[in-house]
Amino acid sequence: MAGDGSDQRALQYEQTLMYGRYTQELGVYAKEEAARLRESGQRRSRTLDLLEYDKGRCAKCRICTVRCQKFLISRVGEDWIFLILLGLVMALVSWVVDFCIAICLQAQKWMYGGLDSNLFLQYLAWVTYPVVLITFSAGFTQILAPQAVGSGIPEMKTILRGVVLKEYLTFKTFVAKVIGLTCALGSGMPLGKEGPFVHIASLCAALLSKFMSLFGGIYENESRNIEMLAAACAVGVGCCFAAPIGGVLFSIEVTSTFFAVRNYWRGFFAATFSAFIFRVLAVWNRDEETITALFKTRFRLDFPFDLQELPAFAVIGIASGFGGALFVYLNRLIVQFIRKQKTINKFLMKKRLLYPALVTLLISTLTFPPGFGQFMAGKLTQGESLVTLLDNRTWAKQGIAEEFDYIGNAQAWKHPQVNVFVTLVLFIVMKFWMSALATTIPVPCGAFMPVFVIGAAFGRLVGECMAAWFPDGIHSDESIYPIVPGGYAVVGAAALSGAVTHTVSTAVIVFELTGQISHILPVMIAVILANAVAQSLQPSLYDSIIRIKKLPYLPELGWGHHEKYNIRVEDIMVRDVRYITLNCCYRDLHSVLMLGHLKTLALVESAESMILLGSIERAQLQSLLSQQLSRSRRMEYIRERAAAEKKCLSDVSNSDSEDGRQRASQEVRFQISTEESTVSPTRPASQKPLKPALKRPSVMERPTKLPTSPQDHSGIALKSLFCSSPDVEALEKNNNMETPVSPEQRRPSKRVRISVVDDGDVEDDMTLREIAEWEERQLDEQVDFNNCKIDPAPFQLVERTSLHKTHTIFSLLGLDHAYVTSIGRLIGVVSLKELRKAIEGSVTVKGVKVRPPLASFRDSGTSSSETEATELHKLWDRHRNVSLPGEQPTSESDEKSQ
Amino acid sequence: MAGDGSDQRALQYEQTLMYGRYTQELGVYAKEEAARLRESGQRRSRTLDLLEYDKGRCAKCRICTVRCQKFLISRVGEDWIFLILLGLVMALVSWVVDFCIAICLQAQKWMYGGLDSNLFLQYLAWVTYPVVLITFSAGFTQILAPQAVGSGIPEMKTILRGVVLKEYLTFKTFVAKVIGLTCALGSGMPLGKEGPFVHIASLCAALLSKFMSLFGGIYENESRNIEMLAAACAVGVGCCFAAPIGGVLFSIEVTSTFFAVRNYWRGFFAATFSAFIFRVLAVWNRDEETITALFKTRFRLDFPFDLQELPAFAVIGIASGFGGALFVYLNRLIVQFIRKQKTINKFLMKKRLLYPALVTLLISTLTFPPGFGQFMAGKLTQGESLVTLLDNRTWAKQGIAEEFDYIGNAQAWKHPQVNVFVTLVLFIVMKFWMSALATTIPVPCGAFMPVFVIGAAFGRLVGECMAAWFPDGIHSDESIYPIVPGGYAVVGAAALSGAVTHTVSTAVIVFELTGQISHILPVMIAVILANAVAQSLQPSLYDSIIRIKKLPYLPELGWGHHEKYNIRVEDIMVRDVRYITLNCCYRDLHSVLMLGHLKTLALVESAESMILLGSIERAQLQSLLSQQLSRSRRMEYIRERAAAEKKCLSDVSNSDSEDGRQRASQEVRFQISTEESTVSPTRPASQKPLKPALKRPSVMERPTKLPTSPQDHSGIALKSLFCSSPDVEALEKNNNMETPVSPEQRRPSKRVRISVVDDGDVEDDMTLREIAEWEERQLDEQVDFNNCKIDPAPFQLVERTSLHKTHTIFSLLGLDHAYVTSIGRLIGVVSLKELRKAIEGSVTVKGVKVRPPLASFRDSGTSSSETEATELHKLWDRHRNVSLPGEQPTSESDEKSQ
């Protein structure tokens, strides 16, 4: 048990090793691990021997098996095996999910088709089916793993940023996401598969990684895990669309801030393998003759488009940009509206499944084919509409829809009364708000595919208009090249999905999805224009969700905001840094811990020099303090006092078991956040597992948990740390659980006799007052940092580091905070919060608030070289005449700059 | 002049601001810049007024022009304008270069065709033409800018890594590269355009940036420049192949280690615009009817390949991997062979143009179409061969080449005696070594295109074999789908070029070049396999060139070398750190500077505490020292002494002008590396401009230049710093240049009277001995760091930081060195050199040297928490009892670990 615990702790240390963090027990861990492996190897060889003696007949084959197993185990730690397994599993998952969705959709069609005698029954079947599926999906995910709700890309973005959202990568979530997604998509609602697949792939990678670590555990490493998760995101997109290149690029754009090129091959390898298997399964299943694109187009190769059509493509791009921004805005609006309306909210919260059911009812009613659905091709599933939209024939030849020979699914677009333009417009408008609404349903779902289809429809609309306008094509030379509206659909799909997700790689996805790259330039132009427009209006859908869910993420710097080069760290840093000195006493520690809720505290040499030596976790300090005031130390003190007084106390009033019970109850008491049972003391703040952020908006304010080591019989002063108003009653009750507390005993002035047996030789007979006195004395002692884990090289910035650079460094290294130093002296601290505020402040209020109030002072003030020189001088003076007391450089520089 | 100088210096500071470096004068610079802009604005409005008064008639139009100009200038700083301009310029350059190359090649063909009566004359024409062009190209680049030689991608990689190779981004280099490249490619040698275009685009971006900074100078910023250079690399590839997506990806893979996703759009935007303009120019020039791919293919869409053909594609991938590694090896071998052969080398060095001429002669002789060229399609240019190789018809139907209807250029592959397989094999083999040889010619040239063509030929060969083997295709179902050898050629081209460059994005380039993406899975599989094989055998071509040229670059960590997680910083760091203390005297400074050649020195609080306060540039210290021993200070001393002695000296022996002359000569003397005239003192070591690395292999050992401020009349002690054996003679000669030195004066014991007039009031009448004594006294003074620029937050690591993490941080932040600290105490330093050694050591010797000797000690030794605790204890003790003298913690920890 003890070994397991230390293993776990070592792993956690390893995980916290983001940058230069302290990892003491790794060496020990490596040794233990080696010993464990050696032992298991011996055990295995012992079984080998046993086998040989035991059974004569099939011994050989068994030996062979064991050897193969050994070989496999030795190989299993290698990256490419992991990636192949990941690709394989994800391809299978993707195929199975697709298969199930297809069956669901077919079942709906079959039911709908079978009941064509009675319109009402037909409607009931058309509506009930999706409502049941969505409700089941919502309920299932709600019960099994609420983390599985939604796209998952925002969470993956946060995780890849370095924040650990542990519950997002569990087996439960995997099951909930896969089944929930299948049901949700099987309902035929305008929902996407791609976002959830990124999450599913990451889940898969995390679980595989856990599984593989059973064999080659030494290689478990946080940076490797992050690399694998990044590859998994690529696999997710890759096997969803059979688009390996686009998948890699999309996942990079969506999840990363800085991308390590050395991980590039991982993504490509896994995504290609996955896409390959995904398509091969289709061939084996006789769905396809050979491996081709998912939504294959057949545009002509020799003259894909005319140069003069480019303005139309550019218009599609710009309009898609506005459309994409509108979509993100609409989506956010709906979420915020539902959250704000308290009465609605209360009602929906009580009946959690009502909201999905209502939304589904509304949408499916509107798409009911004999009803309004006839004007918007409501009969078609998402995939079918996409196929028809990408068709290379023109629907509106000569402007008259009737002339076109509608076959198969394309017939759904034809309506006897209205022409195809009206159908398309209605489709676009209805699907637009439907998709924005549907993606707010708490089921596992993405928004990429619906947006993609809407974009394709919009492109088709423009293309059909162009075809109607120029029936013989624009080209003026000898040969006639009619306009291909399908090409416009491709462009529109790429542009709108690019605008919503703020990515350029949708262009590549579109090529891989359609299997044709002939429209590369129009697509690229449209996508870039759409991005330019959308990025200047709204955040991406994923960033929007991150903001809604208040996930701990650092926003991006906008498109070429040069002004930000002018903000410096000194303008945004917090100058009033909480610090502890090397020679401080426990009282200082106590007061510092009482004051703020910072996760780490700076350790400086002394208050005069302010030389930064390192940083200490809050939890570390708390454990230091609790150790100093611990019961065992008090017992020792009592023992010593007893030895000094030569008195022998013999009245043992309690048994050991009772002591144990009391101890346990104390432990529970000090676990203020009781969610996890094994939290290592050195765990950094940012890596705390988060509850679904919707419920617990501010992560920062949660009190840090006290470590629950058995010696933690903490004292009064300590308790005041955690309970803002230390009530003595509770303490008393706590200290002698076994006796009912009388009203007299409750008064703190009274001497309450607490008699608990320690290790068997002395008795804890101190009164509360004595304890308080003893603790007061203890608090005056100097802190002994020997048993304390110090991060000896916390990240340091200089006052003049620009915001741009600070942002880069924070996002590169996944920092949570950084100290600002000036020639070794600590002068400030910048945390993610300040940085986020600075970036958001200057992003939203353009040109006005860009230069913070302090920045203007900086230019007109004295040259900083002088101030730094004087600071250096001070440092030097200190060496010459040692006593230079009471000077507080921090507050001084604070005054100077305000 | 002074303003300009400070501007320049400020810019240089800005450029050195890699991470947390000290940038004192930026605020001042910003103010100056603002003032300058204000002033110029006033001037402009004044011209506006003048114009209105001057000419009545066209005043309005002029005002309009001026206003437009103003608007343009205000807009000109924005990124997208810059990117559009860059794309436009590069598209024009690319098109013009292509046009010129086409003319050159046509001219050669015309000459060759016109002389078909005489074989010898024909041969002469065939051979002379490329020899002349290549020789001219080599000579031209050699004379104008030797930096233009070669691909340029390795240099760009180094520049984007943060190293400043300034001469690589000048206008001269631009001209040399463009003209040299045009001539080299016009010769018809197997050379590529893509590498040089990356360089040309970067040159273009740098020059444009310089040009734009005339308008919006405040936005000049190093990180922005790097961003723009990264975008430029994408533009280079994009406009070369009309492949925007592939260009962006290729440039990322080739040049970056860590890629900032926020720069992604820049590359896409500029590359798309550039590719668009490039292709539009072709349409306008009536070369094409509309915008299409450069090497358009017309494979069938419905059944591109059979599933059972995949093994053949995999074989192409694996073989290409070996081929690519062989190519890199061959290329390096040729370079090293020529360099090693001293007699050849000497001869070639003397006649620099002989080598290119000889190589060209050899290659063009072998490709002479009536000669050996007939067996290897020697008649075709690179582009023509590529077009024929990608043809969608089968050459070897039923195994008999004659049946194929060869038309146009494809006829070159047909030979009456030998069949097409032999032609292809000969083509591959000959072109292989020819390309490897040709790329060593000192002209601007790349290797991508030749390799691409060879790969296509290899793929074609495999495809033709498959077609001969399965005449009716492999597919067993009803319809017959014959094998398309052109598809194999596409796969081969992507695979071989991917193997040589170690990139996956050649796949995307291939799709964009051919305009078809139907073969995506075979291409991806082949490229990934080729990469896997090639990366495990050889470095990429660019890394190989980096190694040959010894450019300062950090090698990549290999594919999944997990072992490297086990090496820690403590195993590779240099424990014997040169440092200076805050209270050291100038003598210490002197001795430290004498000892090593490190670029920066650590500043610690004291030798006992070893608390790291910052780092100081070597040049800064030298200027401190030279200031302390400067003539002006000596003069002051003399003046004081004179005032004290109340003596008046009146014999003025020299005039002011002579003094000036002597001063100048002294200055020249102290410029030990006299290449640049304006080097700022704070310039970091890694950013020194490099001479072509071939000539000056070790950059690190160059002595740092002394800053040439006018007060630099440095003394004797200082001179001993730069001349390893300080000879007094030279000093004497130096100190009184105007008088011929007699033999007696040369003896240092003699009193040499040096009389130079300073500012007019006192005379320098000190003897050498007096000077030496005065300097000795000066050296004993404590250093005053007030005027010294200190980097207050040098990068710090911890002992236990893993090699993997260290590598990441070094490449992320572009570090040159990092200090290793333990709770504020400096205990070691890691520089790029150590890191490189550690990585290369463990990469080459697999499994054996991976764990360095020290690493084994670490595990068995004492727990490091103890040692750190004791170290902390020491620090603490120091505070209690101040005197703890003579203890050298560094050496102690050094002993412990050895």
Side-chain angles (χ1 to χ4, degrees), chain A residues 422-639:
Chain A
V422 177
T423 321
L424 275 172
V425 168
L426 277 177
F427 179 85
I428 293 163
V429 171
M430 297 303 283
K431 282 280 174 183
F432 195 84
W433 68 261
M434 280 179 184
S435 302
L437 182 62
T439 45
T440 64
I441 301 176
V443 291
C445 65
F448 187 88
M449 211 55 199
V451 165
F452 196 83
V453 172
I454 295 167
F458 176 67
R460 184 92 206 179
L461 180 64
V462 175
E464 295 289 346
C465 290
M466 287 292 285
W469 195 3
F470 304 101
D472 297 325
I474 301 174
H475 199 64
S476 55
D477 282 12
E478 61 283 355
S479 46
I480 289 175
Y481 294 110
I483 281 166
V484 185
Y488 287 77
V490 166
V491 172
L496 191 64
S497 48
V500 169
T501 57
H502 285 201
T503 56
V504 189
S505 48
T506 51
V508 184
I509 290 181
V510 137
F511 301 139
E512 290 180 281
L513 268 183
T514 60
Q516 281 205 302
I517 203 169
S518 50
H519 279 76
I520 177 161
L521 271 177
V523 168
M524 289 301 298
I525 289 168
V527 166
I528 287 171
L529 286 174
N531 264 289
V533 173
Q535 289 192 17
S536 59
L537 292 176
Q538 283 283 322
S540 83
L541 183 64
Y542 307 121
D543 285 335
S544 164
I545 294 173
I546 282 179
R547 282 194 205 173
I548 290 172
K549 290 197 173 181
K550 294 211 175 75
L551 292 174
Y553 190 74
L554 191 61
E556 264 307 293
L557 290 175
W559 274 42
H561 283 285
H562 294 304
E563 315 87 54
K564 241 153 273 137
Y565 293 129
N566 284 342
I567 303 183
R568 304 261 165 73
V569 162
E570 59 185 336
D571 302 326
I572 60 168
M573 71 183 181
V574 175
R575 281 163 198 274
D576 183 22
V577 194
R578 299 258 175 283
Y579 62 87
I580 43 173
T581 58
L582 202 56
N583 49 0
C584 69
C585 57
Y586 283 96
R587 191 177 303 284
D588 303 333
L589 219 64
H590 181 231
S591 56
V592 164
L593 285 175
M594 285 287 281
L595 269 171
H597 286 285
L598 286 164
K599 290 293 145 75
T600 52
L601 286 155
L603 176 69
V604 299
E605 204 198 27
S606 65
E608 296 93 48
S609 77
M610 287 297 284
I611 289 177
L612 183 68
L613 296 179
S615 73
I616 306 185
E617 300 278 328
R618 187 188 177 79
Q620 283 286 325
L621 292 179
Q622 284 170 346
S623 81
L624 265 189
L625 201 54
S626 65
Q627 231 161 33
Q628 180 71 8
L629 305 180
S630 68
R631 201 166 165 268
S632 62
R633 280 201 75 236
R634 194 148 51 83
M635 291 326 277
E636 208 174 302
Y637 162 75
I638 293 170
R639 215 174 293 132

Side-chain angles (χ1 to χ4, degrees), chain B residues 572-876:
Chain B
I572 60 168
M573 71 183 181
V574 175
R575 282 162 196 275
D576 183 23
V577 194
R578 299 258 176 283
Y579 62 89
I580 44 174
T581 58
L582 201 57
N583 51 359
C584 70
C585 57
Y586 284 96
R587 191 177 301 286
D588 302 333
L589 219 65
H590 181 230
S591 56
V592 163
L593 285 174
M594 284 288 279
L595 269 172
H597 287 286
L598 286 165
K599 290 293 147 74
T600 51
L601 285 155
L603 176 68
V604 298
E605 203 199 28
S606 65
E608 297 94 50
S609 78
M610 286 297 282
I611 288 178
L612 183 68
L613 297 179
S615 73
I616 306 184
E617 300 278 327
R618 188 189 176 79
Q620 282 286 328
L621 293 178
Q622 284 170 346
S623 82
L624 266 189
L625 202 54
S626 65
Q627 232 162 33
Q628 179 72 4
L629 303 181
S630 68
R631 200 165 164 268
S632 60
R633 281 201 74 237
R634 193 147 51 81
M635 291 323 280
E636 206 174 303
Y637 162 75
I638 292 170
R639 216 174 291 132
E640 277 168 17
R641 194 180 57 175
E645 287 177 4
K646 306 274 183 211
K647 266 189 195 171
C648 187
L649 298 160
S650 60
D651 49 336
V652 180
S653 61
N654 291 296
S655 71
D656 276 8
S657 67
E658 269 174 316
D659 178 32
R661 209 202 314 146
Q662 178 223 19
R663 214 180 271 176
S665 69
Q666 275 182 333
E667 276 170 32
V668 170
R669 170 143 200 99
F670 299 144
Q671 283 180 14
I672 285 168
S673 76
T674 49
E675 275 139 30
E676 308 92 30
S677 54
T678 52
V679 180
S680 93
T682 49
R683 197 167 202 181
S686 62
Q687 307 208 350
K688 282 220 151 271
L690 292 172
K691 287 261 99 181
L694 281 166
K695 288 183 209 154
R696 196 181 296 252
S698 87
V699 193
M700 295 301 174
E701 285 144 32
R702 282 170 65 197
T704 318
K705 216 193 85 196
L706 199 70
T708 58
S709 57
Q711 311 99 291
D712 263 350
H713 295 241
S714 314
I716 295 165
L718 194 64
K719 260 151 221 157
S720 65
L721 246 177
F722 305 106
C723 326
S724 50
S725 58
D727 49 343
V728 185
E729 287 176 40
L731 290 177
E732 285 173 20
K733 220 156 94 188
N734 199 34
N735 259 16
N736 43 2
M737 211 59 167
E738 69 279 10
T739 55
V741 185
S742 66
E744 297 96 77
Q745 277 176 323
R746 278 192 193 161
R747 256 165 278 145
S749 59
K750 271 220 142 187
R751 286 177 69 104
V752 183
R753 182 160 288 263
I754 303 161
S755 11
V756 182
V757 170
D758 198 45
D759 299 307
D761 55 344
V762 282
E763 185 202 5
D764 187 358
D765 61 347
M766 283 170 91
T767 60
L768 267 184
R769 173 163 299 185
E770 276 172 1
I771 292 174
E773 277 169 6
W774 176 83
E775 287 187 348
E776 286 297 310
R777 280 199 304 278
Q778 295 302 313
L779 282 176
D780 284 332
E781 279 184 20
Q782 254 198 347
V783 180
D784 175 19
F785 285 106
N786 279 355
N787 297 320
C788 181
K789 285 189 181 44
I790 300 170
D791 175 1
F795 204 88
Q796 294 171 35
L797 299 170
V798 206
E799 295 153 277
R800 310 210 136 254
T801 312
S802 67
L803 180 63
H804 183 257
K805 197 140 288 169
T806 312
H807 180 267
T808 308
I809 289 168
F810 265 70
S811 38
L812 270 175
L813 302 177
L815 296 183
D816 179 58
H817 67 279
Y819 293 108
V820 184
T821 54
S822 168
I823 318 177
R825 293 174 60 252
L826 177 70
I827 55 167
V829 66
V830 179
S831 73
L832 218 51
K833 203 175 69 187
E834 277 91 45
L835 197 56
R836 189 153 49 207
K837 227 186 280 168
I839 291 165
E840 279 171 358
S842 51
V843 166
T844 49
V845 191
K846 265 184 199 161
V848 185
K849 252 180 111 180
V850 156
R851 237 175 128 70
L854 289 174
S856 59
F857 184 82
R858 193 178 54 216
D859 293 348
S860 59
T862 51
S863 160
S864 78
S865 77
E866 283 175 36
T867 60
E868 282 199 30
T870 38
E871 278 164 10
L872 197 65
H873 228 52
K874 269 181 225 154
L875 207 64
W876 196 8

